[in-house]
Structure formats: C-alpha cells, structure tokens
Amino acid sequence: EMEPILKPLKLAIIGAGVSGLAAALSLHSIKGLKITIFEKSKGFSGRAATRRKDNFSWDFGANYFSTDNQELVDFVLKTLPTDDLIEIVFDQSGKIAPGDPAYNKKPKWNYKSGINNIGKLIFGKCKDMVECKKSIRIEKISSEKCAESSIGYVWRLYSTEKEDLGVYDALLFTPPSPQTIDIINASDFNEDLKPLQNEIIQGLGTAAYNSQITVALAYNSRFTEKLDYYALINLDRKHDIAWLSIEDEKQGHVPDGNSLILVQMSGEWTKGCWDKKTDEISAEVREKAEELLQIQVKKEDLLFSDVQKWRFALPTKAADKKKLLEAASCGIFFAGDYLVGKGRVLDALETGLQAAEQIKSKFGITPSL
C-alpha cells in the first residue's frame, strides 16, 4: 500500500516496452496517480517482439530472457502468471562447439505464445488502473509554468499528428535513446530549463547502438531434429551470422512437421546490406544459414521468409545516468536498456522498476505503515 497523493498527479509513460510497463505496474496502485502510456505501435513489449503467420510464431527481437537477479526471477515466476511460460535449455553454442556449461545451465525463459507475452502479462496486472493509448507517436513536449505543481512545471505532450495529448506532472521516456533525443530536441523548454534540455541530450547522446537485420526462415519439413542444440552464437564476431536459433525448440511456436530458424546478422554485415531489397537479403541469409547448419534442402522447401530491420537493436554503450537523473528535478525520468548498455529484457525491466522508485521519491510517495 502506498500513501495516497494529496493532489492528483498525472504521469505519462512514453513507450509500452517492458521498462515502461514495469514502471506502470510498480506505480499503478497509488491512489491519486493517473497513468497513461503512449505507444507508437499496435502492441506491447517493444523489442521483445513476436510475429505470427500460418500457425508459426517467432521472436524476431529478443529470443529469451535470463537473469542472476533473484528479485527479477521472482518477478517472472511469482508476480506474473506462469501458465504460458517455457524454459529453454541450451545444449551447444558456438561455431559449432559446446558452449559454456555454466551459461547453458542458467534458466532461460520464453512463452509458448511468444516473448511479447511478457508485456501483455505485465499490462494485464495493472490494466484496470492504467490507460494505454496505442498507435500514437510522440513528437515533442512543452514545459508550462505551474504554481500548483511541487516542481513548478507541468508538461504538455504533442503527437506527430499535431494532436494536443494533454498536460502531465511527470514523464517517463522509454524509447531507444536516439528516438528520445529527437523528441527532446524538438521540444519547447522554458528559457530557465534550456540548460537542462541540453544536459538531457548530452546524457542520452553517450549511448550507442548496433543495428541488426533479423531473418526468419520457415520450411515445410522438420530437419532440425538432427541438430543437438537450440542456438548458435558467434563468439569471435567474425562470422556474418551473429546468432541462429531453432524456433522448433520453443514449445508451441512451430507446427509439427515444419521447421523455423531465426537468423540475426552481425553489425558489420547489417551495415553493408541495410539498403538491399528484402528478397535479396533473405536469399543471402538463407544460403549462409543452411551452410552453417550443414543441411540439404530444396529451394521449394522454404515456405516463407520474413525480414526485420532493427535500427536500434542492441545497446553497446550506456547513457550518462548522472546527467539524466538531474532531469528528475523537473519531472522527467528515463528507463530502457540503454541505461545498462546491453540488450537484455530483464535488465530493461529493472530500469523501469528503478524509474518507478525515482518517481515515488521525487513526489514524496512512501509505503503506508
């Protein structure tokens, strides 16, 4: 139980990825706090993304989640429903040699219905108290002086369709840092807040990302039973394929008698092939994947392929958290894997829980005795 807020407080969360949803869940039971999530796409979970076609489902962003943090393990196993949860076991990893046994033994989870179910489950726990507006992209924010506000300002949000989305006391940004920089750059900050606007841009600007092309290849035969591993990871980073996984190993993802392999390409290969046509990309990736797996299949055995280009796939360098924490003074908060500097689903989720604590602290919300 949290102490009720004396004056009603409005929080806007930009992005319905796991970090924004975790923050919403952590804050949703506070009386007097109204939470609205704005999501640019039609679904939840951000880059923990799942696609479906012809009874196949595949995770084309993050492929599983894992952690050594017991609190986050408890979040997955105790806070969220587990009926749909599956554990994935790694047998081998590498090109192609046994992987690190300790790493392979670490619990790794996914969902029968796809990894994006994590976002749906988190939202399901707080949906009665949290509003989520989908297919709305935020273009800019505008500060307005407000004598009634404990921080002296409120924030008005505008969509890319130039729609006024209303005024909020606090904002939590969760999109990748380059997209957040675009919003902050386009925004109208009062003159005395301009230095803070620059601090935010500088703080976000230290984060860096790799782009990644991901290709799903679905086949009309089940050839993967001959393979004694779930995934291959390229450790020396010299191969064009960075990661290859067998979706058949995930219960409920692939129809009996079929196979689907998911191929995530290296940063270098992605950079060189970004502007190629989809058909060209899928043909080239198919050839490389089949060669790596040493499988003989006919051209017509491929049912379909699907290409996804992630411009901001994996953070490689973290943002400057110290600079970003200063933005809390005017009600702006941040969450996302760029605060950690690596692409991990549960690390991103943890930044959302941390942002919720920062919001509670800033606005004097304490657990009631």
Side-chain angles (χ1 to χ4, degrees), residues 66 120 124 130 153 192 237 332:
S66 183
K120 296 176 190 174
V130 176
Y153 288 94
D192 55 331
R237 305 194 177 190
I332 297 178

Side-chain angles (χ1 to χ4, degrees), residues 43-342:
F44 296 112
S45 307
R47 282 163 288 152
T50 305
R51 276 208 179 122
R52 294 172 183 86
K53 180 179 177 173
D54 301 342
N55 294 321
F56 289 84
S57 62
W58 63 95
D59 302 314
F60 61 100
N63 260 265
Y64 64 86
F65 45 94
S66 183
T67 182
D68 293 320
N69 182 326
Q70 192 54 46
E71 281 181 44
L72 297 178
V73 171
D74 289 347
F75 186 93
V76 171
L77 299 182
K78 295 178 184 174
T79 304
L80 300 182
T82 56
D83 333 1
D84 195 42
L85 193 70
I86 53 175
E87 190 170 327
I88 302 163
V89 179
F90 272 27
D91 293 324
Q92 282 193 0
S93 183
K95 187 188 180 264
I96 291 176
D100 172 25
Y103 177 77
N104 287 346
K105 277 180 189 166
K106 266 176 66 173
K108 297 167 190 68
W109 298 288
N110 201 307
Y111 292 97
K112 286 180 206 167
S113 53
I115 200 166
N116 72 338
N117 201 27
I118 190 170
K120 296 176 190 174
L121 293 175
I122 297 171
F123 187 68
K125 300 280 291 183
C126 58
K127 64 179 184 197
D128 294 339
M129 307 293 287
V130 176
E131 185 178 12
C132 185
K133 298 184 174 184
K134 293 179 183 171
S135 302
I136 295 178
R137 192 184 284 266
I138 303 300
E139 181 173 51
K140 67 172 191 171
I141 61 174
S142 177
S143 61
E144 296 179 8
K145 287 198 170 175
C146 175
E148 290 173 25
S149 165
S150 62
I151 52 178
Y153 288 94
V154 289
W155 296 95
R156 192 174 293 277
L157 268 64
Y158 295 92
S159 75
T160 50
E161 303 296 309
K162 315 298 177 200
E163 184 188 353
D164 179 345
L165 300 170
V167 166
Y168 294 85
D169 301 279
L171 307 176
L172 172 58
F173 284 93
T174 72
S177 55
Q179 294 174 340
T180 303
I181 287 173
D182 288 345
I183 297 171
I184 301 294
N185 256 326
S187 296
D188 303 316
F189 280 61
N190 281 51
E191 206 53 48
D192 55 331
L193 293 180
K194 293 275 187 195
L196 187 66
Q197 184 179 19
N198 292 330
E199 282 283 289
I200 292 171
I201 291 165
Q202 284 171 23
L204 291 166
T206 64
Y209 285 82
N210 269 347
S211 298
Q212 189 165 65
I213 291 176
T214 297
V215 180
L217 301 165
Y219 295 86
N220 63 8
S221 59
R222 175 64 65 97
F223 56 78
T224 52
E225 285 161 346
K226 300 167 196 157
L227 308 174
D228 60 351
Y229 45 81
Y230 154 65
L232 303 174
I233 186 166
N234 178 227
L235 296 178
D236 66 10
R237 305 194 177 190
K238 289 178 182 172
H239 199 280
D240 289 337
I241 293 176
W243 162 278
L244 184 150
S245 58
I246 315 297
E247 290 289 294
D248 320 5
E249 295 291 322
K250 296 177 184 171
Q251 192 185 338
H253 280 221
V254 178
D256 289 343
N258 297 113
S259 290
L260 190 145
I261 57 176
L262 191 90
V263 193
Q264 296 183 327
M265 303 307 286
S266 71
E268 277 305 304
W269 189 92
T270 293
K271 214 181 288 180
C273 298
W274 191 262
D275 295 322
K276 285 186 180 178
K277 290 180 179 167
T278 301
D279 290 352
E280 207 179 331
I281 288 171
S282 60
E284 200 173 318
V285 171
R286 178 187 179 181
E287 191 182 328
K288 288 177 184 294
E290 290 176 4
E291 184 188 341
L292 179 62
L293 293 173
Q294 299 178 322
I295 51 170
Q296 303 294 318
V297 286
K298 298 184 187 122
K299 192 176 180 184
E300 59 271 22
D301 287 344
L302 188 74
L303 292 171
F304 66 82
S305 61
D306 179 79
V307 176
Q308 167 71 28
K309 294 178 178 180
W310 293 105
R311 190 170 289 284
F312 308 116
L314 299 163
T316 55
K317 199 176 164 204
D320 185 334
K321 281 199 273 195
K322 197 175 168 195
K323 275 187 162 68
L324 296 181
L325 281 170
E326 290 174 26
S329 62
C330 65
I332 297 178
F333 303 86
F334 301 91
D337 55 9
Y338 65 84
L339 293 175
V340 184
K342 55 185 178 178

Side-chain angles (χ1 to χ4, degrees), residues 1-3 365-369:
E1 267 299 300
M2 294 290 170
E3 286 286 357
I365 305 160
T366 54
S368 56
L369 300 173

